[in-house]
Amino acid sequence: MSATLDGRQDRRQSGYDAVLIAGPTASGKSALALALAEALDGVIVNADSMQLYRELSIVTARPPAEDLARAPHRLYGVLPAADAFSTGDWLRLVERELKEIRASGKLPVFVGGTGLYFKALTEGFAELPDIDPQVRTRCRSLADEGGIDAVRQALQEKDPKAAADLKDLQRLTRALEVVLSTGRTLADWQREAHGESLLFPDGCLRLVLAPPRAWLHERIARRAKLMLESGGLDEVRALLQLDLPKSLPAMRAIGVKEIAALLAGEIDGQEAERLLTVATRRYAKRQETWFRNQMADWERLDPSAERAEEMAQRIAERFVR
């Protein structure tokens, strides 16, 4: 029997309940997920925190309409940019999707570059306490007005370790909110019981795309150019017209700041493309560091070595016994 799965019994015999595909931005994750979903009667579930936002399709390289028509996709473009979405919120959406996918007899194929989502999915996640609304307003105003340096300075007194270790404005702001609202540090809360995971690691085929650096950088450069030429400017212009706080996750997506500067006349198109490329390369490097440190036991694949369809066919053969 071919690996395109005429019946579901073959897939069940593989022992895998789900496929998880992680990797740095522009590494070809979506193409592999689509090819696998077609080969294995799968449903693709988004595990990228920025592709959740409906206003950011081009900027986040969300799957285009023709790909969405080829296989079922879940959790893409489901949130307004005004939402500040947490990992716990994502897990709650995923729990609902998993129930529906399993009831349909299809295979969930998770794909994305947000390492924390995969970690929470397979290891469980400690829910943080509710934050006092006044504390949240105060902290986010500080983030909007003073930026990362102001938040880090405010956090230094209450939680010096988090102030030193965290590099992202959203996580720094969250750590400040937690310690001011509860009197306990974010690390204290995270050491609590993680809760039950939605998927067991051993029951998942866990894959990380690990391309050569030069190959990835060339694809990132092409993506930056395409973003500016295929509607990215209009997308960011519409987002800016919503006048949202700069501390929101959607407002900090790579491409928003660079294109906003271009629209304001602060830089030209060539400089915007250069800044986009540099920012994306730096982000990819951070992702690779996470995967190396947090996903050491995941299988590595080189997407530069073969086409996504060929790789998917080879992987799908594992599901046939």
Side-chain angles (χ1 to χ4, degrees):
M1 183 180 288
S2 77
T4 51
L5 207 69
D6 296 327
R8 298 185 183 112
Q9 182 63 35
D10 293 310
R11 192 178 61 218
R12 285 198 297 269
Q13 290 176 353
S14 72
Y16 295 126
D17 298 319
V19 177
L20 313 182
I21 305 172
T25 186
S27 59
K29 300 184 298 295
S30 295
L32 177 58
L34 179 59
L36 271 175
E38 290 183 313
L40 293 170
D41 191 27
V43 176
I44 299 170
V45 184
N46 172 38
D48 184 293
S49 62
M50 290 299 155
Q51 290 186 345
L52 288 162
Y53 294 106
R54 65 175 62 107
E55 290 89 347
L56 298 178
S57 176
I58 296 167
V59 167
T60 64
R62 215 160 66 207
E66 54 266 31
D67 289 356
L68 297 178
R70 287 171 56 185
H73 287 66
R74 301 288 184 266
L75 304 186
Y76 289 90
V78 296
L79 298 175
D83 276 13
F85 203 66
S86 71
T87 301
D89 293 329
W90 180 78
L91 283 174
R92 279 184 281 275
L93 291 183
V94 166
E95 185 174 16
R96 182 191 67 194
E97 296 295 343
L98 272 175
K99 287 178 181 178
E100 294 181 2
I101 294 169
R102 285 166 172 163
S104 71
K106 293 181 179 292
L107 179 75
V109 179
F110 287 85
V111 60
T114 303
L116 185 58
Y117 281 5
F118 287 109
K119 189 174 180 68
L121 183 65
T122 57
E123 298 180 20
F125 184 74
E127 284 287 357
L128 295 177
D130 292 335
I131 302 301
D132 185 309
Q134 292 183 344
V135 171
R136 174 175 285 117
T137 299
R138 190 163 75 248
C139 291
R140 296 189 180 181
S141 294
L142 178 65
D144 288 339
E145 296 168 8
I148 193 167
D149 291 336
V151 176
R152 192 186 304 279
Q153 184 176 354
L155 185 59
Q156 179 64 40
E157 180 183 348
K158 299 290 186 181
D159 187 355
K161 189 175 189 312
D165 292 347
L166 299 178
K167 310 300 181 186
D168 176 83
L169 178 59
Q170 183 183 8
R171 290 187 174 90
L172 282 163
T173 305
R174 181 62 167 161
L176 183 61
E177 292 174 353
V178 169
V179 73
L180 290 180
S181 191
T182 71
R184 298 176 62 194
T185 68
L186 182 61
D188 286 339
W189 285 101
Q190 290 174 336
R191 277 190 289 268
E192 301 284 338
H194 285 281
E196 294 185 5
S197 60
L198 294 180
L199 295 174
F200 293 105
D202 291 345
C204 302
L205 179 58
R206 296 170 293 159
L207 308 171
V208 174
L209 298 191
R213 185 64 56 83
W215 182 89
L216 183 63
H217 282 188
E218 193 275 332
R219 286 173 60 92
I220 286 172
R222 287 208 314 265
R223 177 176 287 185
K225 184 177 181 64
L226 183 64
M227 187 188 302
L228 294 172
E229 293 177 349
S230 62
L233 274 68
D234 290 337
E235 194 168 271
V236 172
R237 184 182 291 111
L239 179 67
L240 295 175
Q241 289 173 350
L242 298 176
D243 196 27
L244 299 174
K246 294 180 181 179
S247 59
L248 286 172
M251 297 300 294
R252 294 182 291 103
I254 293 174
V256 172
K257 180 176 71 173
E258 295 81 5
I259 292 176
L262 174 61
L263 293 173
E266 298 169 1
I267 57 175
D268 60 18
Q270 185 175 6
E271 178 65 0
E273 185 177 331
R274 185 189 73 81
L275 291 174
L276 266 172
T277 301
V278 170
T280 307
R281 286 178 178 176
R282 287 174 177 167
Y283 176 57
K285 186 176 181 179
R286 293 196 300 272
Q287 289 177 299
E288 289 171 324
T289 299
W290 171 279
F291 301 141
R292 186 166 55 250
N293 293 336
Q294 302 290 332
M295 299 178 174
D297 59 341
W298 287 41
E299 179 180 347
R300 262 56 184 176
L301 298 175
D302 180 359
S304 73
E306 57 187 330
R307 294 172 59 248
E309 291 77 12
E310 295 166 348
M311 188 182 298
Q313 183 66 24
R314 188 166 50 78
I315 294 169
E317 290 172 357
R318 305 186 199 180
F319 286 76
V320 178
R321 292 288 188 266

